[in-house]
Structures are given as C-alpha cells and as structure tokens.
Amino acid sequence: PMADPRVTVLLPSMGKLTSEAVAAVLKGSGFYAKAHRPSDEAVLKLGRANTSCKECLPLILTTGTLLNYVNTGRRDGEVVVYFFATGSGPCRFGQYYIFMEDLIKRLEIPDVALFTLSSEDGYLGMEKDFDTRAWWAVIAADVMEDIRSMILANALDSEKAVETFETQWQAILAALEKREFSVLEEQLMRTAGHLGKIPMKQPVETVPTITLSGEIFVRRDALSRQYITERLAEKGFATTCSPVAEWVLYCNYMVDQGLSPESMTMLEKLKFKIRGKFQARYEKRIKSILSGSGLVHAEPIDIDTFVSNASSYISKDLPGEAVLTVGGSLTEIVSISCGVIAIGPFGCMPNRLSAAILNETMTRQGKLATEPKNDQLKAVLTDIEDLPFLAIESDGSPFPQVIDAKLETFCLRAERLHKRLMEYSKKSSPH
C-alpha cells in the first residue's frame, strides 16, 4: 500500500537502532513512519516543562519527544500518530498512554493521535505479519548494538569503523522495508562480511565485557544512560546491553504461564505457541549470521533460565523487569561478562527492587547457586567473594561525582576479574 504523506507515524527514540528498525518495518507496511532523533537536552527540558518531574524519566522523554516534533518538525497539515508500547503490572509504564491523552487534550494539540501495542497479549494487533517483521527488526537491532559497542572499544580506527557500521546499518534498514526474510538474510550476510574485516586492536574474545541491565528504556537510550557505553569503551570495555527481545520473550512467557491479565481462547493460545516457534527460529538465524562477523557471540535468549536463577529471590508471579534484571545479571556475570551495571530511572520501583537484591546476591555464593555443578566456575571464583556490580539511577542529568567515583572503582574490579578469567582460560586451554 502507498503511504499517506499527510499522516506520520512517529516513534520515540527508545535506543536509536531499535526505533529506526521498527520505523523501517512500518514503512514496509505502507506507513509514512519516522523515528525521532535520539533524546537530547532540548527534549529533556521540554519534557520536564510539561510534567511534574515526579514521573519517571522514560515518560518525561517520550513527552518531550512528542512536543519537540509537534513544535519544530511537524509539516503544515500533518497528522501525527504517536506509536509506542504499553502494559500493566507494578510499574508506571501502563499510565503513559493515559498521561499522553490528557496532555494532548490539555494543550489542545490538533491532529495528534496515540497508537499503542500492549505487552499483555505479546504486542499483537497489527497486520498478520507485522509482529514477525518487527521481531526481525528487534533482534537485528539488539545484536548490532552490541557489535557497535565492540567496535567502539576495540577497533583500530574507531572513526572509520563507525562509518562502516553506519553504512551497513542503513543497508539493513533498507532490507527490513522489503518485507522478505530472504532479502534481510542476504543483507545480514553481507553486513557480517564487511564488519568482520574491520581491524581490531586485540582478539575479540580477550576484550573485557560489561553487562548493562536494568529498565529497558534507560539502558537503551543514550542520554538516559549518559553515554555509558562510550565511556566504558574509552576504558577498553565492550558493553553487552540486555536486549529488547528479552522483554518480548518474557511477555510470551507470562502469557504461556497464565500470568498475563489478558485471557485467551484455546485457538489464540495455539497461534501464540506457533508464533513462539517461528520467533525462536528467526532469532537463532539472525544471531547466527551476525555472529559470523566475529564481533559478537550472540546466543538465543533463555527466559526460563533467567526466571529460574531469580526464583530464590523473586516470585515468578510478580511480573515486571525486576525478575529479568536479577536473573539475567546472575546468569551472565563471570559466564559472559566481568561486571554488571543495572541502570534505571530515578525512583523506579522494579529497578530499586532488583538493585536491592543484587547488592546482596552478586557474590561468589550467589553465582555458584546458578551453576552448582560447574567445577570450572568454582575454581575461577576461588578467594573472590563480591562480584563487580553497580546500580545507577538516572534522571537524565550528568551523573553526580559519587556515581563517577563508583564507576571508576567498578571498572577496576571488573578489570581484575577479567584478568582472572583470562589467566584461567590460558591454564585450561589444551594449547
């Protein structure tokens, strides 16, 4: 279908790559869609000016994004459809839609509508293949985000490498608009080949990696996380950012376990299971292709393991990101990364809950509980008690000095753990 240029579907920037990828899928569906540029100080100030500032940072930024576009980017006669997700559970996330509707009425903004997809039914509601293509977009964006981080930390010429990355990302966006998985598949293979040729300072497997976990918006948005990926890269750390796909799969898990408030018929549940099978297949294929670049080792997400590893501290009956932050952090520390940073909005209840738990459980004992029969893990963690962990709350402003000091200490501890892991790796290597 032809896009109507009078109607713009606007996406807030929840991470540059994810927003651009979903916008490309919407374009492929016949919409005139665009991802708003990444949040900056102007967007933050505009959001604060139109909220009480007691709301969490993602709401402030999504508010600022809409108003910024209406005030400065909107064309004459243009109808704006603001596209974002919603949900329920112990979080203010489900109130964004209500707040936005009230804001539009209060400010008497003409020709602006809201369109949301809900986590309660796994974000269904668009045309029959939209969720499949959006899934391709989310997986590709997640993996490319980690590739970008490795490039920033380890490329011999980071400026030239980032240019190559951007060129390949634009090619992926063009492929996503084509609606055919075979087209995307071929482009991902070309992308993996080009990225794999970027000269690196050292072998990728020897680069220390930090897991960036926590609230989904803040950990993906550059301003919200205060460019921590770039700051860590300057210190030689690559960042593995907990993926957006993790939340989608968790929503699927909640529906499958009967924990979602949305009731489904038997036929709907069957269709949902079939969708899950295809999602797993696409996830495995996309990650396999991009892992061929040699810049990431992307494995399929195992929600069952995350929930299981968090089960001693959080009941699976308490929905929300806390269980993923706790379970994912305990799963990845030492096994994948040498440190974990959990970041979220100031005053975010799920993030404070997970931070309180991880401050107590990010220890040798807490990690060994996730893999009690792993003798190698026991050997690596000999005489190590506390594992590198840092909880950060962000309000969009530069981090205070106390957080900067904690970050420096965290990096020193993470570097020591990485050296221990490398030493043990050499000892256990048959070569």
Side-chain angles (χ1 to χ4, degrees), residues 253 303-318 322-328 330-331 353-354 356-358 360-363 365-372:
Y253 171 87
I303 292 296
D304 288 329
T305 295
F306 286 3
V307 175
S308 174
N309 287 342
S311 61
S312 297
Y313 317 106
I314 301 180
S315 169
K316 72 174 186 177
D317 295 327
L318 177 64
V323 67
L324 295 178
T325 302
V326 172
L330 289 171
T331 301
L353 175 62
S354 57
I357 292 171
L358 288 170
E360 297 295 322
T361 60
M362 194 61 79
T363 61
Q365 184 178 355
K367 177 60 183 178
L368 291 178
T370 67
E371 300 181 54

Side-chain angles (χ1 to χ4, degrees), residues 46-47 50 62-72 103 107 109:
L46 193 54
N50 288 275
T62 50
T63 299
T65 295
L66 175 60
L67 296 177
N68 181 76
Y69 184 80
V70 168
N71 294 342
T72 63
L103 178 78
L107 297 181
I109 305 173

Side-chain angles (χ1 to χ4, degrees), residues 132-389:
T132 299
R133 293 183 292 113
W135 180 245
W136 304 342
V138 166
I139 296 296
D142 283 342
V143 181
M144 289 294 283
E145 171 78 10
D146 290 345
I147 288 176
R148 175 181 170 276
S149 175
M150 179 58 72
I151 286 172
L152 290 174
N154 196 36
L156 210 56
D157 184 343
S158 60
E159 190 173 328
K160 188 176 179 181
V162 168
E163 287 179 7
T164 300
F165 175 89
E166 280 298 329
T167 300
Q168 292 306 311
W169 177 241
Q170 292 304 316
I172 290 173
L173 294 179
L176 283 168
E177 287 188 41
K178 302 297 184 183
R179 301 174 65 110
E180 295 292 336
F181 187 69
S182 58
V183 175
L184 176 62
E185 203 172 24
E186 289 172 8
Q187 179 54 54
L188 292 175
M189 289 178 182
R190 289 193 291 271
T191 293
H194 285 292
L195 296 178
K197 294 176 183 177
I198 296 174
M200 293 286 144
K201 296 175 185 174
Q202 63 189 76
V204 168
E205 59 272 13
T206 66
V207 177
T209 301
I210 301 297
T211 294
L212 183 61
S213 188
E215 194 273 331
I216 190 170
F217 185 103
V218 171
R219 74 178 185 240
R220 307 296 297 188
D221 179 66
L223 178 73
S224 299
R225 67 190 185 192
Q226 282 299 299
Y227 313 98
I228 198 168
T229 297
E230 289 77 8
R231 293 174 65 177
L232 289 170
E234 290 175 0
K235 299 177 184 295
F237 293 95
T239 304
T240 299
C241 188
S242 294
V244 175
E246 172 187 273
W247 176 252
V248 178
L249 291 177
Y250 177 65
C251 293
N252 292 354
Y253 171 87
M254 288 194 293
V255 172
D256 186 59
Q257 295 289 313
L259 299 173
S260 173
E262 187 80 12
S263 59
M264 285 187 170
T265 64
M266 289 299 293
L267 181 59
E268 287 172 332
K269 287 182 178 179
L270 178 61
K271 289 181 179 178
F272 200 83
K273 284 185 177 294
I274 294 172
R275 187 184 80 149
K277 296 289 185 184
F278 278 100
Q279 283 182 330
R281 187 181 302 175
Y282 286 128
E283 180 192 9
K284 184 176 181 181
R285 181 60 180 151
I286 291 171
K287 288 184 172 180
S288 174
I289 294 172
L290 289 176
S291 292
S293 67
L295 299 180
V296 291
H297 183 63
E299 292 288 342
I301 300 163
D302 188 349
I303 292 296
D304 288 329
T305 295
F306 286 3
V307 175
S308 174
N309 287 342
S311 61
S312 297
Y313 317 106
I314 301 180
S315 169
K316 72 174 186 177
D317 295 327
L318 177 64
E321 288 173 308
V323 67
L324 295 178
T325 302
V326 172
S329 298
L330 289 171
T331 301
E332 295 192 5
I333 187 69
V334 183
S335 303
I336 295 175
S337 62
C338 58
V340 173
I341 296 175
I343 190 167
F346 179 77
C348 174
M349 188 272 285
N351 205 64
R352 285 189 173 181
L353 175 62
S354 57
I357 292 171
L358 288 170
N359 275 322
E360 297 295 322
T361 60
M362 194 61 79
T363 61
R364 178 178 185 273
Q365 184 178 355
K367 177 60 183 178
L368 291 178
T370 67
E371 300 181 54
K373 297 181 181 180
N374 190 330
D375 292 332
Q376 291 185 355
L377 185 62
K378 292 176 183 176
V380 170
L381 295 179
T382 301
D383 72 28
I384 293 179
E385 183 54 37
D386 295 322
L387 301 175
F389 172 70

Side-chain angles (χ1 to χ4, degrees), residues 37 39-47 64 68 223:
R37 60 179 168 76
S39 301
D40 54 18
E41 289 296 327
V43 169
L44 178 63
K45 288 179 181 177
L46 193 54
N68 181 76
L223 178 73

